[in-house]
Amino acid sequence: MATVEAPEKTITYQRRGRWIHHWDPDNNEFWENGGKQTARKNLIFSVFAENLGFSIWVIWASVVTAMGSAGFAFLGKNNPDAINNALLLTSTPTLVGAALRVPYTFAVPRFGGRAFTAFSAAMLLLPTLGLAYFINQPSTPMWVFLVLAAIAGIGGGNFSSSMANINFFFPEGKKGAALGINAAGGNLGVAQTQLFVPLIITLGTHIMAKDAAGYRFGITLAVLVWIPFILVALVGALRYMDSLSGAKSDGTSYKRALANPHTWVMAVLYIGTFGSFIGFSFAFPTLLKANFPSLAKIGWMGTLGNLAFLGALVGSMSRPFGGWISDKLSGAKITLYVFGGMAIATALIVASLSAKNFPLYLISFLLLFVCSGIGNGSTYRMIPMIFTAESRRRAAETGQDIGDALISAKRQAGAAIGVIGAVGAAGGWVLQQALRLSNEHYHSMNPAFWGYCVAYLAMGALTWWFYLRSSFAVGRAPSLAHANV
């Protein structure tokens, strides 16, 4: 056993498994005398592992744009179903990642943040090694790649386990920034993959030849390059991260979270923010190539992956700002403004497609990504605030000890994060299917974009109805309207 002294309390570690048996971040003296350093250390390694999870999750978005040139006929330029097949391959990891977010959240209280971060990092070896092998088999049928794409969805589950874990480490006043940094670090994995994978594929074709074999070699390099980083994340989690024995869930917390209407309201809002971010991140390379095929032939655009990385980059960088500004102002107000901005951006995308105006198309998409990133931060900041406000109200009504009520609020928020994250990610799959079906039945993606525009306006109205009106009845918690949610 080892201990780190702090005023009034002691941070107690059990060396085997690195469990911390006392954790009180809302105690300022505790926080300033050891707690802050421990929380930041865990945040750093959590961000690194989550970043790689997103990188592997989204790798198919870039790989599919090169598979036609690599000799796979189902994505070839002469195949009329190539766009639909590409959207199917990119949406499959989205759906699997969404489904895994719930069990991944449950796993942190059960196994500890340290052990499960190491496990989730190690699991990323499966989709990378599998893709590296089968991409060199030109006769491989599409269904095999669909299975591999599904396995890549493992990376999408890392988000919920990481967020649920970090949620316990930080005090209430710093959760927004901490969760925003943690999520943004993961989201940046999308941007870095969409930047570097096309560059490495291009490098492979220069090393070999600009033919099918050269493209297959380039894709192999672009996949295997992540292996050393995955191993570093695995070793780093085992060596430096900690688990909190107090970060335990209980059946009551999950039941209360699932029965709470606010869990499902926030899940719908997160479909609009994160569902848009991840859905468009997966689809953006294919959309650029499909809607502006002539520009895709320009060398600098092809080298930079059709500029698709810019969307994920600005969306990721804006997420911490959403959490930070929500700490200062109100997450609900920021979320309302975000949905208004996303509706405007979507309308501009339709206008740019009608005018065949690529600069307007790119700018409109970047605006959409920025708004979704800010909204990701603001909605996630709202979750712990909502459960804290409801627990305080319940404690005042029933005479429950306020300390016990706040602990219960943290546990419910952790449970809700898993559900909300899963539903939000599933929204990314729905978004991509809408694009695919719109293109298949109407030979245009405009109907899908108009549908998104209406949905964003509806979600803005939902935000106002539940969290910005002067009074409301959902959950019998009118105090939420004045709780800086």
Side-chain angles (χ1 to χ4, degrees), residues 33-352:
N33 290 273
K36 177 168 59 177
Q37 290 80 1
T38 299
R40 287 179 176 175
K41 176 191 65 174
N42 280 274
L43 177 61
I44 289 170
F45 285 97
S46 174
V47 166
F48 185 66
E50 186 193 352
N51 174 277
L52 289 171
F54 268 84
S55 295
I56 302 307
W57 191 26
V58 79
I59 198 168
W60 278 91
S62 298
V63 167
V64 295
T65 62
M67 286 181 66
S69 299
F72 295 95
F74 53 85
L75 291 174
K77 61 181 180 180
N78 295 324
N79 189 329
D81 294 323
I83 294 176
N84 293 333
N85 289 338
L87 288 171
L88 184 60
L89 282 167
T90 60
S91 63
T92 298
T94 313
L95 183 62
V96 174
L100 286 177
R101 287 188 166 198
V102 173
Y104 268 48
T105 302
F106 278 76
V108 168
R110 175 66 179 85
F111 301 104
R114 168 185 171 270
F116 197 75
T117 300
F119 168 80
S120 61
M123 289 294 288
L124 299 176
L125 295 171
L126 295 178
T128 49
L129 295 175
L131 179 55
Y133 174 78
F134 282 103
I135 201 68
N136 287 291
Q137 313 297 322
S139 60
T140 302
M142 181 175 167
W143 71 264
V144 173
F145 289 111
L146 276 173
V147 172
L148 290 172
I151 297 174
I154 290 170
N158 291 11
F159 175 82
S160 283
S161 60
S162 181
M163 293 292 277
N165 185 41
I166 293 304
N167 182 58
F168 285 101
F169 273 97
F170 284 82
E172 287 299 323
K174 299 182 184 296
K175 282 186 189 293
L179 292 175
I181 291 170
N182 191 61
N187 292 172
L188 277 171
V190 179
Q192 70 192 26
T193 297
Q194 292 185 341
L195 172 60
F196 291 116
V197 166
L199 288 174
I200 297 171
I201 292 173
T202 301
L203 173 63
T205 62
H206 284 300
I207 294 175
M208 296 286 288
K210 200 167 185 180
D211 57 13
Y215 274 98
R216 290 195 296 271
F217 177 72
I219 294 173
T220 302
L221 286 181
V223 173
L224 292 181
V225 73
W226 302 103
I227 300 297
F229 297 102
I230 294 172
L231 295 176
V232 170
L234 169 61
V235 174
L238 289 173
R239 185 175 178 84
Y240 298 107
M241 289 189 72
D242 307 293
S243 298
L244 301 179
S245 59
K248 296 293 184 181
S249 62
D250 56 76
T252 301
S253 295
Y254 279 100
K255 288 178 182 177
R256 287 180 177 175
L258 292 173
N260 194 318
H262 294 293
T263 297
W264 303 105
V265 173
M266 292 306 302
V268 172
L269 300 185
Y270 204 55
I271 287 174
T273 57
F274 183 75
S276 296
F277 171 81
I278 199 63
F280 281 123
S281 291
F282 272 91
F284 202 26
T286 299
L287 293 179
L288 284 167
K289 187 175 180 179
N291 290 317
F292 295 92
S294 60
L295 291 179
K297 298 176 182 178
I298 298 176
W300 60 269
M301 281 194 67
T303 301
L304 290 179
N306 293 333
L307 303 179
F309 80 97
L310 288 175
L313 178 64
V314 297
S316 302
M317 297 299 291
S318 62
R319 181 161 189 160
F321 175 75
W324 176 81
I325 196 66
S326 297
D327 278 339
K328 304 296 181 182
L329 301 175
S330 160
K333 289 181 181 178
I334 300 302
T335 302
L336 177 63
Y337 301 149
V338 157
F339 283 127
M342 293 175 74
I344 292 172
T346 308
L348 289 174
I349 289 171
V350 175
S352 67

